[in-house]
Coordinates of all heavy atoms in Angstrom, one line a residue:
M835 N 0.9 -1.1 0.0 CA 0.0 0.0 0.0 C 0.8 1.4 0.1 O 0.6 2.2 -0.6 CB -0.9 0.0 1.2 CG -1.8 1.1 1.2 SD -2.9 1.1 -0.3 CE -4.5 0.9 0.4
E836 N 2.0 1.2 0.7 CA 2.9 2.4 0.8 C 3.6 2.7 -0.6 O 3.8 3.8 -0.9 CB 3.9 2.3 1.8 CG 4.9 1.1 1.6 CD 4.4 -0.2 2.4 OE1 3.5 -0.2 3.1 OE2 5.1 -1.1 2.1
Y837 N 3.6 1.7 -1.4 CA 4.0 2.0 -2.7 C 3.2 2.7 -3.7 O 3.5 3.6 -4.5 CB 4.6 0.7 -3.4 CG 5.7 0.0 -2.7 CD1 5.6 -1.2 -2.0 CD2 7.0 0.6 -2.5 CE1 6.5 -1.8 -1.3 CE2 8.0 0.1 -1.6 CZ 7.8 -1.1 -1.1 OH 8.8 -1.6 -0.2
F838 N 1.8 2.4 -3.5 CA 0.8 3.1 -4.2 C 0.8 4.5 -3.8 O 0.8 5.5 -4.7 CB -0.6 2.4 -4.0 CG -1.6 3.3 -4.5 CD1 -2.0 3.3 -5.8 CD2 -2.5 4.0 -3.7 CE1 -3.1 4.2 -6.3 CE2 -3.4 4.8 -4.1 CZ -3.8 4.7 -5.5
F839 N 0.9 4.8 -2.5 CA 0.9 6.1 -2.1 C 2.1 7.0 -2.4 O 2.1 8.1 -2.7 CB 0.6 6.2 -0.5 CG -0.8 5.9 -0.2 CD1 -1.0 4.8 0.7 CD2 -1.8 6.7 -0.6 CE1 -2.4 4.6 1.1 CE2 -3.1 6.5 -0.2 CZ -3.4 5.4 0.5
S840 N 3.3 6.2 -2.6 CA 4.6 6.9 -3.0 C 4.4 7.1 -4.5 O 4.9 8.2 -4.8 CB 5.7 5.8 -2.8 OG 5.9 5.5 -1.5
A841 N 3.8 6.4 -5.3 CA 3.6 6.7 -6.8 C 2.7 7.8 -6.9 O 2.8 8.7 -7.7 CB 3.1 5.4 -7.5
L842 N 1.5 7.9 -6.0 CA 0.7 9.0 -6.1 C 1.4 10.3 -5.6 O 1.2 11.3 -6.3 CB -0.5 8.8 -5.1 CG -1.6 9.8 -5.0 CD1 -2.2 10.0 -6.4 CD2 -2.6 9.5 -4.0
F843 N 2.2 10.1 -4.6 CA 2.9 11.3 -4.1 C 3.9 11.9 -5.2 O 3.9 13.1 -5.4 CB 3.9 10.9 -3.0 CG 4.8 11.9 -2.4 CD1 4.4 13.0 -1.7 CD2 6.1 11.7 -2.5 CE1 5.3 13.9 -1.2 CE2 7.1 12.5 -2.1 CZ 6.7 13.6 -1.3
F844 N 4.6 11.1 -5.9 CA 5.5 11.6 -7.0 C 4.7 12.0 -8.2 O 5.0 13.0 -8.8 CB 6.5 10.4 -7.5 CG 7.6 10.3 -6.5 CD1 7.7 9.3 -5.6 CD2 8.6 11.3 -6.4 CE1 8.7 9.2 -4.8 CE2 9.7 11.2 -5.5 CZ 9.8 10.2 -4.7
T845 N 3.5 11.5 -8.5 CA 2.7 12.0 -9.5 C 2.2 13.4 -9.2 O 2.2 14.3 -10.1 CB 1.5 11.1 -9.7 OG1 1.9 9.8 -10.1 CG2 0.6 11.5 -10.9
L846 N 1.7 13.6 -8.0 CA 1.4 14.9 -7.5 C 2.5 16.0 -7.6 O 2.4 17.1 -8.1 CB 0.8 14.9 -6.2 CG -0.6 14.2 -6.1 CD1 -1.0 14.1 -4.6 CD2 -1.7 14.9 -6.9
L847 N 3.7 15.5 -7.2 CA 4.9 16.5 -7.2 C 5.1 16.8 -8.7 O 5.5 18.0 -9.0 CB 6.1 15.8 -6.5 CG 6.1 15.7 -5.1 CD1 7.4 15.0 -4.6 CD2 6.1 17.2 -4.5
G848 N 5.1 15.9 -9.6 CA 5.5 16.1 -11.0 C 4.4 17.0 -11.6 O 4.7 17.9 -12.4
M849 N 3.2 16.7 -11.3 CA 2.0 17.5 -11.8 C 2.2 19.0 -11.2 O 2.0 19.9 -12.0 CB 0.7 17.1 -11.4 CG 0.3 15.8 -12.2 SD -1.1 15.0 -11.7 CE -2.3 16.2 -11.5
A850 N 2.6 19.2 -10.0 CA 2.8 20.5 -9.5 C 3.9 21.2 -10.2 O 3.9 22.4 -10.4 CB 3.0 20.5 -7.9
Y851 N 5.0 20.5 -10.5 CA 6.2 21.1 -11.2 C 5.7 21.5 -12.6 O 5.9 22.7 -13.0 CB 7.3 20.0 -11.3 CG 8.3 20.6 -12.2 CD1 9.3 21.6 -11.7 CD2 8.5 20.2 -13.5 CE1 10.3 22.0 -12.5 CE2 9.4 20.6 -14.2 CZ 10.4 21.5 -13.8 OH 11.3 22.0 -14.6
V852 N 5.0 20.7 -13.3 CA 4.6 21.0 -14.7 C 3.6 22.2 -14.8 O 3.8 23.1 -15.5 CB 4.0 19.7 -15.4 CG1 3.4 20.2 -16.7 CG2 5.0 18.6 -15.6
R853 N 2.6 22.1 -13.8 CA 1.7 23.3 -13.8 C 2.4 24.6 -13.3 O 2.2 25.7 -13.9 CB 0.7 22.9 -12.7 CG -0.5 23.9 -12.5 CD -1.3 24.0 -13.8 NE -2.4 25.1 -13.5 CZ -2.8 26.0 -14.4 NH1 -2.2 25.9 -15.7 NH2 -3.7 26.8 -14.0
G854 N 3.3 24.6 -12.4 CA 4.0 25.7 -11.9 C 4.9 26.3 -13.0 O 5.1 27.5 -13.2
Y855 N 5.5 25.3 -13.7 CA 6.3 25.7 -14.9 C 5.6 26.5 -15.9 O 6.0 27.5 -16.4 CB 7.0 24.5 -15.5 CG 8.0 24.8 -16.7 CD1 9.3 25.0 -16.4 CD2 7.5 24.9 -17.9 CE1 10.2 25.3 -17.5 CE2 8.3 25.1 -19.0 CZ 9.6 25.4 -18.8 OH 10.5 25.6 -19.8
D856 N 4.4 26.0 -16.2 CA 3.6 26.6 -17.3 C 3.1 28.1 -16.7 O 3.2 29.0 -17.5 CB 2.3 25.9 -17.5 CG 2.6 24.6 -18.3 OD1 3.6 24.6 -18.9 OD2 1.8 23.6 -18.2
I857 N 2.8 28.2 -15.4 CA 2.4 29.5 -15.0 C 3.6 30.5 -14.8 O 3.5 31.6 -15.4 CB 1.8 29.3 -13.5 CG1 0.5 28.6 -13.5 CG2 1.6 30.7 -12.8 CD1 0.0 28.1 -12.2
V858 N 4.7 30.0 -14.5 CA 5.9 30.9 -14.4 C 6.4 31.4 -15.9 O 6.6 32.4 -16.1 CB 7.2 30.3 -13.7 CG1 8.3 31.2 -13.9 CG2 6.7 30.1 -12.2
K859 N 6.3 30.3 -16.8 CA 6.6 30.6 -18.2 C 5.7 31.7 -18.9 O 6.2 32.5 -19.5 CB 6.7 29.3 -19.1 CG 7.2 29.5 -20.4 CD 7.4 28.3 -21.1 CE 7.9 28.5 -22.4 NZ 8.0 27.2 -23.2
S860 N 4.5 31.5 -18.5 CA 3.5 32.5 -19.2 C 3.6 33.9 -18.5 O 3.4 34.9 -19.2 CB 2.2 32.0 -19.0 OG 1.7 31.9 -17.7
R861 N 3.9 33.9 -17.2 CA 3.8 35.3 -16.6 C 5.3 36.0 -16.4 O 5.3 37.1 -16.6 CB 3.3 35.1 -15.1 CG 1.8 34.8 -15.2 CD 1.2 34.7 -13.8 NE -0.1 34.3 -13.8 CZ -0.9 34.0 -12.8 NH1 -0.4 34.2 -11.6 NH2 -2.1 33.7 -13.0
S862 N 6.3 35.1 -16.2 CA 7.6 35.7 -16.0 C 8.7 34.7 -16.4 O 9.3 34.2 -15.6 CB 7.8 36.2 -14.5 OG 9.0 36.8 -14.3
P863 N 8.9 34.5 -17.7 CA 9.9 33.5 -18.1 C 11.4 33.7 -17.6 O 12.0 32.8 -17.7 CB 9.8 33.7 -19.7 CG 8.9 34.7 -20.0 CD 8.3 35.3 -18.7
E864 N 11.7 34.9 -17.3 CA 13.1 35.1 -16.9 C 13.2 34.5 -15.5 O 14.4 34.3 -15.0 CB 13.4 36.6 -16.8 CG 12.6 37.5 -15.8 CD 11.3 37.9 -16.4 OE1 10.9 37.6 -17.5 OE2 10.6 38.8 -15.7
H865 N 12.2 34.2 -14.8 CA 12.2 33.5 -13.5 C 12.2 32.0 -13.5 O 12.1 31.4 -12.4 CB 11.3 34.1 -12.5 CG 11.5 35.5 -12.2 ND1 12.6 36.0 -11.4 CD2 10.8 36.6 -12.6 CE1 12.5 37.3 -11.4 NE2 11.5 37.8 -12.1
L866 N 12.3 31.4 -14.7 CA 12.2 29.9 -14.7 C 13.4 29.3 -13.9 O 13.1 28.3 -13.3 CB 12.2 29.4 -16.2 CG 10.9 29.7 -16.8 CD1 11.0 29.3 -18.3 CD2 9.9 28.8 -16.2
V867 N 14.6 29.9 -14.1 CA 15.7 29.2 -13.4 C 15.3 29.2 -11.8 O 15.6 28.2 -11.1 CB 17.0 29.9 -13.6 CG1 18.1 29.6 -12.8 CG2 17.3 29.8 -15.1
H868 N 14.9 30.4 -11.3 CA 14.6 30.4 -9.9 C 13.4 29.4 -9.5 O 13.5 28.8 -8.4 CB 14.2 31.8 -9.4 CG 15.1 32.9 -9.7 ND1 15.1 33.8 -10.7 CD2 16.4 33.1 -9.1 CE1 16.2 34.5 -10.7 NE2 17.0 34.2 -9.8
F869 N 12.5 29.3 -10.4 CA 11.3 28.4 -10.0 C 11.9 26.9 -10.0 O 11.6 26.2 -9.1 CB 10.3 28.5 -11.2 CG 9.4 27.4 -11.1 CD1 8.3 27.4 -10.2 CD2 9.4 26.3 -12.0 CE1 7.5 26.4 -10.2 CE2 8.4 25.2 -12.1 CZ 7.4 25.4 -11.0
Y870 N 12.8 26.6 -11.0 CA 13.3 25.3 -10.9 C 14.1 25.0 -9.7 O 13.9 23.8 -9.1 CB 14.1 25.1 -12.3 CG 14.8 23.7 -12.1 CD1 14.2 22.5 -12.4 CD2 16.2 23.5 -11.7 CE1 14.6 21.3 -12.2 CE2 16.8 22.3 -11.6 CZ 16.1 21.2 -11.8 OH 16.6 20.0 -11.7
L871 N 15.0 26.0 -9.2 CA 15.7 25.7 -8.0 C 14.8 25.6 -6.7 O 15.1 24.8 -5.9 CB 16.7 26.9 -7.9 CG 17.8 26.9 -8.9 CD1 18.6 28.1 -8.7 CD2 18.7 25.6 -8.8
V872 N 13.8 26.3 -6.7 CA 12.8 26.4 -5.6 C 12.1 25.1 -5.5 O 12.0 24.4 -4.5 CB 12.0 27.6 -5.6 CG1 10.7 27.4 -4.6 CG2 12.7 29.0 -5.2
M873 N 11.7 24.7 -6.7 CA 10.9 23.4 -6.7 C 11.8 22.1 -6.5 O 11.4 21.2 -5.8 CB 10.2 23.2 -8.1 CG 9.1 24.0 -8.3 SD 7.7 23.5 -7.0 CE 7.3 21.9 -7.5
A874 N 13.1 22.3 -7.0 CA 14.1 21.2 -6.5 C 14.2 21.1 -5.1 O 14.1 19.9 -4.6 CB 15.2 21.4 -7.3
V875 N 14.4 22.2 -4.4 CA 14.6 22.1 -3.0 C 13.2 21.6 -2.3 O 13.4 20.8 -1.4 CB 14.9 23.6 -2.5 CG1 14.9 23.6 -1.0 CG2 16.3 23.9 -3.0
I876 N 12.1 22.1 -2.7 CA 10.9 21.7 -2.1 C 10.7 20.1 -2.3 O 10.4 19.4 -1.4 CB 9.8 22.4 -2.6 CG1 9.7 23.9 -2.2 CG2 8.5 21.7 -2.3 CD1 8.7 24.8 -2.9
R877 N 10.9 19.7 -3.5 CA 10.8 18.2 -3.8 C 11.8 17.4 -2.9 O 11.4 16.5 -2.4 CB 11.0 18.0 -5.2 CG 9.8 18.4 -6.1 CD 9.9 18.1 -7.5 NE 10.9 18.7 -8.2 CZ 11.2 18.6 -9.4 NH1 10.5 17.9 -10.3 NH2 12.2 19.2 -10.0
M878 N 13.0 17.9 -2.8 CA 14.0 17.1 -2.1 C 13.7 17.0 -0.6 O 13.8 16.0 0.0 CB 15.4 17.7 -2.3 CG 16.5 17.0 -1.6 SD 18.1 17.8 -1.7 CE 18.3 18.4 -3.4
L879 N 13.2 18.2 -0.1 CA 12.9 18.2 1.4 C 11.7 17.3 1.6 O 11.5 16.7 2.6 CB 12.5 19.6 1.8 CG 13.8 20.5 2.0 CD1 13.3 22.0 2.3 CD2 14.6 20.0 3.0
L880 N 10.7 17.4 0.8 CA 9.5 16.5 0.9 C 9.9 15.0 0.8 O 9.4 14.2 1.6 CB 8.5 16.7 -0.2 CG 7.7 18.2 0.1 CD1 6.8 18.5 -1.1 CD2 6.8 18.0 1.4
V881 N 10.7 14.7 -0.1 CA 11.1 13.3 -0.3 C 11.9 12.8 1.0 O 11.7 11.7 1.5 CB 11.9 13.1 -1.5 CG1 12.6 11.6 -1.6 CG2 11.0 13.1 -2.7
V882 N 12.8 13.7 1.4 CA 13.6 13.3 2.6 C 12.7 13.2 3.8 O 12.9 12.2 4.6 CB 14.7 14.3 2.8 CG1 15.5 14.2 4.1 CG2 15.7 14.3 1.7
T883 N 11.7 14.0 4.0 CA 10.7 14.0 5.1 C 10.0 12.7 5.1 O 9.9 11.9 6.0 CB 9.9 15.2 5.0 OG1 10.6 16.3 5.0 CG2 8.9 15.1 6.2
V884 N 9.6 12.3 3.8 CA 8.8 11.1 3.7 C 9.6 9.8 4.0 O 9.2 9.0 4.8 CB 8.2 10.9 2.3 CG1 7.6 9.6 2.0 CG2 7.1 11.9 2.1
V885 N 10.8 9.8 3.6 CA 11.8 8.7 3.9 C 12.0 8.6 5.4 O 12.0 7.6 5.9 CB 13.0 8.7 3.0 CG1 14.0 7.8 3.4 CG2 12.7 8.5 1.5
A886 N 12.3 9.8 6.0 CA 12.7 9.8 7.4 C 11.5 9.4 8.2 O 11.6 8.6 9.2 CB 13.1 11.2 7.7
L887 N 10.4 9.8 7.9 CA 9.1 9.3 8.7 C 8.9 7.9 8.6 O 8.6 7.2 9.5 CB 7.9 10.1 8.2 CG 7.8 11.6 8.6 CD1 6.6 12.3 8.0 CD2 7.8 11.7 10.1
Y888 N 9.0 7.3 7.3 CA 8.9 5.9 7.2 C 9.9 5.1 7.9 O 9.6 4.2 8.6 CB 8.9 5.6 5.6 CG 8.4 4.1 5.5 CD1 7.1 3.7 5.4 CD2 9.4 3.1 5.3 CE1 6.7 2.4 5.2 CE2 9.0 1.8 5.1 CZ 7.7 1.5 5.1 OH 7.3 0.2 4.9
V889 N 11.2 5.6 7.8 CA 12.2 4.9 8.5 C 11.9 4.8 10.1 O 12.1 3.8 10.8 CB 13.5 5.5 8.2 CG1 14.7 5.1 9.2 CG2 13.9 5.2 6.8
L890 N 11.4 6.1 10.6 CA 11.2 6.1 12.1 C 10.1 5.1 12.4 O 10.1 4.6 13.6 CB 10.8 7.5 12.5 CG 11.8 8.5 12.5 CD1 11.4 10.0 12.7 CD2 12.9 8.1 13.6
F891 N 9.1 5.0 11.6 CA 7.9 4.2 12.0 C 7.8 2.8 11.3 O 6.9 2.1 11.4 CB 6.6 4.9 11.7 CG 6.5 6.1 12.5 CD1 6.6 7.4 11.9 CD2 6.4 6.2 13.9 CE1 6.4 8.6 12.6 CE2 6.3 7.2 14.6 CZ 6.3 8.6 14.0
A892 N 8.8 2.5 10.6 CA 8.7 1.1 9.9 C 9.0 0.0 10.9 O 9.5 0.0 12.0 CB 10.0 1.0 8.9
P893 N 8.3 -1.1 10.6 CA 8.2 -2.2 11.5 C 9.6 -2.9 11.6 O 9.9 -3.5 12.6 CB 7.1 -3.2 10.8 CG 7.1 -2.9 9.4 CD 7.4 -1.3 9.4
N894 N 10.4 -2.8 10.5 CA 11.7 -3.4 10.6 C 12.7 -2.8 9.7 O 12.3 -2.0 8.8 CB 11.8 -5.0 10.4 CG 11.2 -5.3 9.0 OD1 11.4 -4.5 7.9 ND2 10.7 -6.5 8.8
R895 N 14.0 -3.0 9.9 CA 15.1 -2.3 9.1 C 15.1 -2.6 7.7 O 15.2 -1.8 6.7 CB 16.4 -2.5 9.8 CG 17.5 -1.8 9.2 CD 18.8 -2.1 10.0 NE 19.9 -1.7 9.2 CZ 20.5 -0.5 9.3 NH1 20.0 0.3 10.0 NH2 21.6 -0.3 8.5
E896 N 14.9 -3.8 7.3 CA 14.8 -4.3 6.0 C 13.7 -3.5 5.0 O 14.0 -3.2 4.0 CB 14.6 -5.8 5.8 CG 14.8 -6.4 4.5 CD 14.7 -8.0 4.5 OE1 15.4 -8.5 5.4 OE2 14.0 -8.5 3.5
D897 N 12.5 -3.5 5.7 CA 11.5 -2.8 4.9 C 11.8 -1.4 4.8 O 11.6 -0.7 3.7 CB 10.2 -2.9 5.8 CG 9.5 -4.2 5.5 OD1 9.8 -4.9 4.7 OD2 8.6 -4.5 6.4
A898 N 12.4 -0.7 5.8 CA 12.8 0.7 5.6 C 13.9 0.9 4.6 O 13.8 1.8 3.8 CB 13.4 1.1 7.0
I899 N 14.8 0.0 4.4 CA 15.8 0.1 3.4 C 15.3 -0.1 2.1 O 15.6 0.7 1.1 CB 17.0 -1.0 3.6 CG1 17.8 -0.6 4.9 CG2 17.9 -1.1 2.5 CD1 18.7 -1.6 5.4
H900 N 14.3 -1.0 1.8 CA 13.7 -1.2 0.6 C 12.8 -0.1 0.1 O 12.8 0.4 -1.1 CB 12.8 -2.5 0.6 CG 13.6 -3.8 0.6 ND1 13.6 -4.7 -0.4 CD2 14.3 -4.3 1.5 CE1 14.4 -5.6 -0.2 NE2 14.9 -5.5 1.1
F901 N 12.0 0.5 1.2 CA 11.3 1.7 0.8 C 12.2 2.9 0.4 O 11.8 3.6 -0.5 CB 10.4 2.0 2.1 CG 9.4 3.1 1.9 CD1 8.4 3.0 1.1 CD2 9.8 4.4 2.4 CE1 7.5 4.1 1.0 CE2 9.0 5.5 2.1 CZ 7.8 5.3 1.5
A902 N 13.2 3.1 1.2 CA 14.1 4.3 0.9 C 14.7 4.2 -0.4 O 14.8 5.1 -1.2 CB 15.3 4.4 2.0
A903 N 15.1 2.9 -0.9 CA 15.7 2.7 -2.1 C 14.7 3.0 -3.3 O 15.1 3.6 -4.2 CB 16.3 1.3 -2.3
I904 N 13.5 2.4 -3.2 CA 12.5 2.6 -4.1 C 12.1 4.2 -4.2 O 12.0 4.7 -5.3 CB 11.2 1.8 -3.8 CG1 11.6 0.3 -4.1 CG2 10.1 2.3 -4.6 CD1 10.6 -0.6 -3.7
I905 N 12.0 4.9 -3.1 CA 11.8 6.3 -3.1 C 12.8 7.0 -3.9 O 12.6 7.9 -4.6 CB 11.5 6.9 -1.7 CG1 10.2 6.3 -1.2 CG2 11.5 8.2 -1.7 CD1 9.0 6.8 -1.8
L906 N 14.0 6.8 -3.5 CA 15.2 7.4 -4.2 C 15.1 7.1 -5.7 O 15.5 8.1 -6.5 CB 16.5 7.1 -3.5 CG 16.6 7.6 -2.1 CD1 17.9 7.1 -1.5 CD2 16.6 9.1 -2.1
I907 N 14.9 5.9 -6.0 CA 14.9 5.6 -7.5 C 13.6 6.4 -8.2 O 13.8 7.0 -9.3 CB 14.7 4.1 -7.7 CG1 16.0 3.4 -7.4 CG2 14.3 3.8 -9.2 CD1 15.8 1.8 -7.3
M908 N 12.5 6.4 -7.6 CA 11.3 7.1 -8.1 C 11.6 8.6 -8.1 O 11.3 9.4 -9.1 CB 10.1 6.9 -7.2 CG 9.6 5.5 -7.3 SD 8.3 5.1 -6.2 CE 6.9 6.0 -6.9
Y909 N 12.4 9.2 -7.2 CA 12.8 10.6 -7.2 C 13.7 10.9 -8.3 O 13.5 11.9 -9.1 CB 13.6 11.0 -6.0 CG 14.0 12.3 -5.8 CD1 13.1 13.5 -5.7 CD2 15.3 12.6 -6.0 CE1 13.6 14.7 -5.6 CE2 15.8 13.9 -5.9 CZ 14.9 14.9 -5.8 OH 15.5 16.3 -5.7
A910 N 14.7 10.0 -8.7 CA 15.5 10.2 -9.8 C 14.8 10.2 -11.1 O 15.0 11.0 -12.0 CB 16.7 9.2 -9.8
V911 N 13.8 9.2 -11.2 CA 13.0 9.1 -12.5 C 12.1 10.3 -12.6 O 11.9 10.9 -13.7 CB 12.1 7.9 -12.5 CG1 11.1 7.8 -13.5 CG2 13.0 6.6 -12.5
M912 N 11.5 10.8 -11.5 CA 10.7 12.1 -11.5 C 11.5 13.2 -12.1 O 11.1 13.9 -12.9 CB 10.0 12.3 -10.3 CG 9.2 13.6 -10.2 SD 8.8 14.2 -8.7 CE 10.4 14.6 -7.9
M913 N 12.7 13.3 -11.5 CA 13.6 14.6 -12.0 C 13.8 14.3 -13.5 O 13.8 15.4 -14.2 CB 14.9 14.5 -11.2 CG 14.7 14.8 -9.8 SD 14.0 16.5 -9.5 CE 15.4 17.4 -9.8
V914 N 14.2 13.2 -14.0 CA 14.5 13.0 -15.4 C 13.3 13.4 -16.3 O 13.4 14.0 -17.2 CB 15.2 11.6 -15.6 CG1 15.1 11.3 -17.1 CG2 16.5 11.5 -15.0
V915 N 12.1 12.8 -15.9 CA 10.9 13.0 -16.5 C 10.4 14.5 -16.7 O 10.2 15.0 -17.7 CB 9.8 12.1 -16.0 CG1 8.4 12.4 -16.7 CG2 10.1 10.6 -16.4
T916 N 10.5 15.1 -15.5 CA 10.1 16.5 -15.5 C 11.0 17.4 -16.2 O 10.7 18.3 -16.9 CB 9.9 17.1 -14.1 OG1 11.0 16.9 -13.4 CG2 8.7 16.4 -13.4
L917 N 12.3 17.0 -16.3 CA 13.3 17.8 -17.0 C 13.1 17.7 -18.5 O 13.2 18.5 -19.3 CB 14.8 17.5 -16.6 CG 15.1 18.1 -15.2 CD1 16.5 17.7 -14.9 CD2 15.2 19.7 -15.3
S918 N 12.9 16.4 -18.9 CA 12.8 16.2 -20.3 C 11.4 16.7 -20.8 O 11.3 17.0 -22.0 CB 12.8 14.6 -20.5 OG 11.8 14.0 -19.9
L919 N 10.3 16.7 -20.0 CA 9.1 17.3 -20.4 C 9.2 18.8 -20.7 O 8.5 19.2 -21.6 CB 8.0 17.0 -19.4 CG 7.5 15.6 -19.3 CD1 6.5 15.5 -18.2 CD2 6.8 15.2 -20.7
R920 N 9.9 19.5 -19.9 CA 9.8 21.0 -20.0 C 11.1 21.7 -20.5 O 11.1 22.8 -20.5 CB 9.4 21.6 -18.6 CG 8.1 21.2 -18.1 CD 7.2 21.8 -19.0 NE 5.8 21.2 -18.8 CZ 4.8 21.4 -19.6 NH1 4.9 22.2 -20.7 NH2 3.7 20.8 -19.3
H921 N 12.1 21.0 -20.8 CA 13.3 21.5 -21.3 C 13.7 21.1 -22.8 O 13.3 20.2 -23.3 CB 14.5 21.3 -20.4 CG 14.3 22.1 -19.1 ND1 13.6 21.7 -18.1 CD2 15.0 23.2 -18.7 CE1 13.6 22.6 -17.1 NE2 14.4 23.5 -17.3

């Protein structure tokens, strides 16, 4: 179940990035670099927070390691997909 919510989490983060990119590009394209950096920091902090919370409340260490590895892989894929969609 946590993998479904993780996929949903990354889908929402990706959609927020794409929607925000469109808004910034239409209103103030010279600030796209700042938008990307701010969103990168926000996404990184959210991912680290989710992993840390899961590790704190995980039933065992092996599950926490697997979850953290999957989340980090999903984060890398999300970064590649969002960059390839908008650049």
